Amino acid sequence: MKAIIPAAGLGTRLRPLTYTRPKPVLRVAGQPIIAHAIHTLVHAGITDIGIVVSDITREEIQHAVQHLTQASITLINQHEQLGLGHAVLTAREWVGQDDFCVYLGDNLFEHGAAPFVHAFHQDRPAALIALVEVPDPTAFGVAQLDGTRITRLVEKPKDPPSTLAVAGLYCFTPAIFGMLDGMPPSARGEFEITDGIQRLIDAGLHVQGQAVQGWWKDTGRPADLLDANRLLLERLQDDVQGEVTDSRITGRVVVPASARVIRSKIVGPVMLGEGVVIEDAYIGPFTSIGANSVVRGAEVEHSVVDEGAQIEHVSKRLQDCLIGVRAQVRGGRTVPRTHKLTISDASLVELA
């Protein structure tokens, strides 16, 4: 079985973070989001993975996955972004006659892809779709079920037939390509995967829904990135190898051998990257700090700090922050009591 990860979009809902980088390479819990997707596919037994990229996202995606040697990764060019159905069709030649999984790289599942892949192999439907109960299904593809069989599937309906939303994981036989081929675009001007699946249903083929067990997170907005970081850090295993001098570390904390913690306090779960320096600082729970970053004379908690960032001499605690690659936060004489920041890559913020 193969897998497709669509990664050609720009992630406009995550701006300004995605002005300089595509959404799948943003980091949570120390890794790009797309790396978490690849790990869960490998755990499900799928090691042949095609990533659909655009001319804009290709270079960054390639850089983010080049070290993931446990999978055979192929980049597939999608020169126009015309919807998820179009992305799947773009990978048709690469998939060939194999069964395949489509995993939206900005989605995270507590139990990964394995439960859905195993059910697909066992039951052999034409398609198996991950479904999750949501309070407002109008922003999703929505399924109507008869038992486990999906009888109707509609994209972003004004009048939803149920509260079961399509989560970001699908398993298919090659029959889906015949349904997508020649299919007209939707009113949004896109080729919807849900329309292709509805064609499978209308042709009398078995389309199965399977409920997501445990948590599910679509990392489409800044608050979702922070929540995903929290959920993933809940799994963290304590591993302190680096230099710790005149400091206190409690809870589950990762300090790589190349990192240094000096006159500081860290309360886990916290993940530090390679070469990180924490000096005269406090790092609170649910914080991940990217490689070669420096936090000096500052307090940070429940935040994601990306690679090469510098946070220095900030007199009030930074909380619920997303700090981009090589961004700088410098303190001044007077500041508000708290700060909540979403800072794009290579930014400079001076708090005066």
Side-chain angles (χ1 to χ4, degrees):
M1 192 174 192
K2 294 179 178 177
I4 299 169
I5 301 177
L10 298 177
T12 55
R13 291 184 298 166
L14 279 167
R15 288 175 177 170
L17 293 170
T18 51
Y19 274 126
T20 56
R21 292 180 296 157
K23 176 169 59 174
V25 308
L26 298 179
R27 289 176 176 264
V28 290
Q31 293 190 78
I33 299 170
I34 196 168
H36 291 288
I38 291 170
H39 290 318
T40 194
L41 289 168
V42 170
H43 181 70
I46 303 174
T47 57
D48 203 357
I49 299 171
I51 304 176
V52 178
V53 298
S54 64
D55 298 335
I56 295 174
T57 66
R58 182 184 181 92
E59 184 176 350
E60 288 281 358
I61 296 292
Q62 187 168 24
H63 177 73
V65 303
Q66 62 186 359
H67 67 287
L68 301 175
T69 56
Q70 71 270 43
S72 174
I73 296 173
T74 302
L75 300 186
I76 302 165
N77 288 324
Q78 183 188 20
H79 297 295
E80 292 183 278
Q81 285 70 68
L82 300 175
L84 182 55
H86 182 260
V88 171
L89 264 182
T90 301
R92 182 177 192 171
E93 183 177 348
W94 176 80
V95 170
Q97 293 303 307
D98 293 316
D99 294 338
F100 65 102
C101 172
V102 176
Y103 188 108
L104 302 191
D106 58 356
N107 279 229
L108 296 168
F109 297 82
E110 181 175 3
H111 301 299
F116 307 98
V117 172
H118 295 163
F120 178 77
H121 286 317
Q122 177 179 315
D123 299 336
R124 299 299 301 154
L128 183 142
I129 316 299
L131 300 175
V132 63
E133 193 95 25
V134 295
D136 180 15
T138 59
F140 301 89
V142 180
Q144 186 173 350
L145 268 67
D146 180 5
T148 62
R149 190 182 188 111
I150 297 177
T151 58
R152 184 183 173 209
L153 201 60
V154 289
E155 184 67 26
K156 297 180 174 62
K158 292 182 179 180
D159 184 19
S162 76
T163 56
L164 291 172
V166 175
L169 193 150
Y170 313 76
C171 296
F172 294 113
T173 69
I176 188 64
F177 292 123
M179 303 300 165
L180 294 171
D181 197 13
M183 184 179 72
S186 68
R188 300 192 304 158
E190 295 188 351
F191 297 93
E192 313 284 2
I193 192 68
T194 46
D195 291 343
I197 297 168
Q198 183 62 48
R199 283 186 156 197
L200 289 174
I201 296 168
D202 293 342
L205 298 175
H206 181 57
V207 175
Q208 184 170 317
Q210 178 157 321
V212 173
Q213 302 298 319
W215 56 257
W216 164 76
K217 179 57 62 175
D218 175 0
T219 58
R221 300 182 185 276
D224 299 322
L225 287 177
L226 289 170
D227 203 30
N229 187 66
R230 176 187 64 80
L231 290 166
L232 291 170
L233 289 182
E234 288 279 15
R235 306 174 175 178
L236 197 65
Q237 299 296 316
D238 188 62
D239 185 14
V240 178
Q241 299 183 27
E243 174 188 339
V244 179
T245 304
D246 298 329
S247 299
R248 181 181 176 186
I249 294 179
T250 58
R252 292 166 286 125
V253 176
V254 171
V255 182
S258 59
R260 294 185 292 142
V261 180
I262 305 163
R263 296 184 302 276
S264 297
K265 180 179 180 180
I266 300 179
V267 179
V270 167
M271 175 179 284
L272 305 185
E274 296 287 347
V276 166
V277 176
I278 307 297
E279 185 174 355
D280 298 316
Y282 166 79
I283 308 298
F286 304 112
T287 300
S288 59
I289 299 180
N292 303 312
S293 292
V294 175
V295 181
R296 181 177 289 118
E299 300 183 358
V300 183
E301 72 176 12
H302 198 258
S303 295
V304 178
V305 179
D306 217 322
E307 296 182 351
Q310 295 184 32
I311 303 172
E312 298 185 288
H313 310 302
V314 180
S315 60
K316 299 299 180 182
R317 184 170 299 177
L318 301 180
Q319 183 174 308
D320 300 332
C321 297
L322 297 168
I323 311 293
V325 173
R326 298 186 304 281
Q328 300 177 46
V329 182
R330 296 174 181 168
R333 293 184 179 179
T334 60
V335 291
R337 297 184 64 183
T338 62
H339 303 288
K340 182 175 180 180
L341 306 172
T342 299
I343 302 175
S344 187
D345 304 347
S347 301
L348 170 61
V349 177
E350 296 189 4
L351 304 174

